[in-house]
């Protein structure tokens, strides 16, 4: 049986940084499910499909060829065979992903892909519905959060470090809007699973959070 660690939480809580760190330390495979929703969103943007066009999204998502592989421990997302790791990191793609991920067909397709992966290898998987829906029997479930001000500041600094001009207030507004959508959608909304451990990282370092989570794993 493979071992699985599920990490859910709102945008900018530090899920990917923490999950990547834990995966490296425990020699697990890191699966970033948000990147899959982003690749799907990029596919819609490339094909001129608008966020409000639910029917087209349901129909066209079947044609999107999304696969993931791992190179030197890093997840690479391929859209129609092309590495889109960089292109999916824009705010435009993130916002589209938050909108198009409410679609049941999109979710069905990507959840199946995620479950297949977790059956094969030991994973640290992060997203919004991992503990509640994708891996309900995960060995360890974490709900990782932080205040919206802290999350906005982290995203702002991340973008500035990449040389992207941005506005802190606008980022916080986007984060609050995205949380609203992710938490209030009908299908697999973001929420803490009953058996998940709540970790608020507002005043914790990356090391502290990673240590706490690894401490919860009874994996040898
Ligand atoms: O974690 P992220 O910002 O890369 O995710 C982008 C969007 O994808 C997020 O706003 C909601 C959606 N998503 C989802 O619905 N379910 C997941 N398991 C992961 C992401």
């Amino acid at each position: 049986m493979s071992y699985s660690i599920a990490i859910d939480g709102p945008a900018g809580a530090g899920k990917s940084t923490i999950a990547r760190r834990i995966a490296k330390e425990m020699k697990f495979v890191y699966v970033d499910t948000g990147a899959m929703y982003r690749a799907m969103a990029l596919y819609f943007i490339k094909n001129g499909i608008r966020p409000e066009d639910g029917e087209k999204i349901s129909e066209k998502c079947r044609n999107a060829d999304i696969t993931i592989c791992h190179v030197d421990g890093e997840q690479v997302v391929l859209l129609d065979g092309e590495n889109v790791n960089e292109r999916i990191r824009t705010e435009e793609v993130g916002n589209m992903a938050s909108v198009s991920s409410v679609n049941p067909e999109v979710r069905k397709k990507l959840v199946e892909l995620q479950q297949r992966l977790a059956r094969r290898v030991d994973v640290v998987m992060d997203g919004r519905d991992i503990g509640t829906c994708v891996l309900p029997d995960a060995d360890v479930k974490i709900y990782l959060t932080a205040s919206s001000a802290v999350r906005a500041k982290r995203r702002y600094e991340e973008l500035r470090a990449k040389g992207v001009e941005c506005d802190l207030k606008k980022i916080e507004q986007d984060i609050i809007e995205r949380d609203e959508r992710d938490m209030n959608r009908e299908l697999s909304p973001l929420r803490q699973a009953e058996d998940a451990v709540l970790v608020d990282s507002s005043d914790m370092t990356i090391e502290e959070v990673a240590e706490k989570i690894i401490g919860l794993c009874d994996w040898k």
Side-chain angles (χ1 to χ4, degrees), residues 11-13 89 91 147-175 178:
R89 290 295 151 203
E91 292 301 291
S147 70
S148 59
V150 167
R151 291 186 284 128
K153 187 140 189 295
R154 286 180 188 158
R155 190 134 287 188
Y156 172 80
E157 278 162 8
E158 204 176 277
L159 289 168
R160 287 298 298 265
K162 283 189 205 157
V164 179
E165 272 304 312
C166 50
D167 176 61
L168 183 59
K169 272 266 156 296
K170 167 91 177 61
I171 291 179
E172 184 168 1
Q173 232 167 38
D174 274 358
I175 278 191
R178 187 147 17 132

Side-chain angles (χ1 to χ4, degrees), residues 69-85:
C69 62
H70 289 84
V71 177
D72 297 333
E74 268 302 299
Q75 171 177 293
V76 177
V77 184
L78 303 168
L79 173 62
D80 295 327
E82 184 197 343
N83 177 344
V84 290
N85 271 18

Side-chain angles (χ1 to χ4, degrees), residues 115-133:
Q115 289 174 333
R116 268 205 306 277
L117 261 162
R119 271 197 293 273
R120 282 200 332 243
V121 286
D122 300 323
V123 293
V124 183
M125 191 177 280
D126 76 1
R128 304 291 190 286
D129 60 337
I130 311 306
T132 52
C133 170

Side-chain angles (χ1 to χ4, degrees), residues 137-204:
D137 299 323
D139 297 277
V140 175
K141 294 184 189 179
I142 305 295
Y143 190 83
L144 184 64
T145 190
S147 70
S148 59
V150 167
R151 291 186 284 128
K153 187 140 189 295
R154 286 180 188 158
R155 190 134 287 188
Y156 172 80
E157 278 162 8
E158 204 176 277
L159 289 168
R160 287 298 298 265
K162 283 189 205 157
V164 179
E165 272 304 312
C166 50
D167 176 61
L168 183 59
K169 272 266 156 296
K170 167 91 177 61
I171 291 179
E172 184 168 1
Q173 232 167 38
D174 274 358
I175 278 191
I176 291 170
E177 247 173 64
R178 187 147 17 132
D179 290 350
E180 273 284 313
R181 227 182 356 248
D182 294 346
M183 289 174 173
N184 294 303
R185 66 184 182 213
E186 211 169 300
L187 199 63
S188 316
L190 167 64
R191 63 177 175 81
Q192 184 181 342
E194 271 172 26
D195 49 350
V197 177
L198 175 70
V199 180
D200 185 332
S201 72
S202 302
D203 298 313
M204 290 172 85

Side-chain angles (χ1 to χ4, degrees), residues 8-12 15 32-35 37-38 88-89 93-99 101-102 107 114 126-130 134 155 178 181-182 185 188:
D8 291 302
K15 298 186 298 293
D32 171 0
T33 62
Y37 288 93
R38 284 171 179 266
I88 57 175
R89 290 295 151 203
V93 173
N95 290 328
M96 177 67 173
S98 170
V99 177
S101 62
V102 305
R107 301 206 71 81
Q114 293 152 14
D126 76 1
R128 304 291 190 286
D129 60 337
I130 311 306
V134 181
R155 190 134 287 188
R178 187 147 17 132
R181 227 182 356 248
D182 294 346
R185 66 184 182 213
S188 316

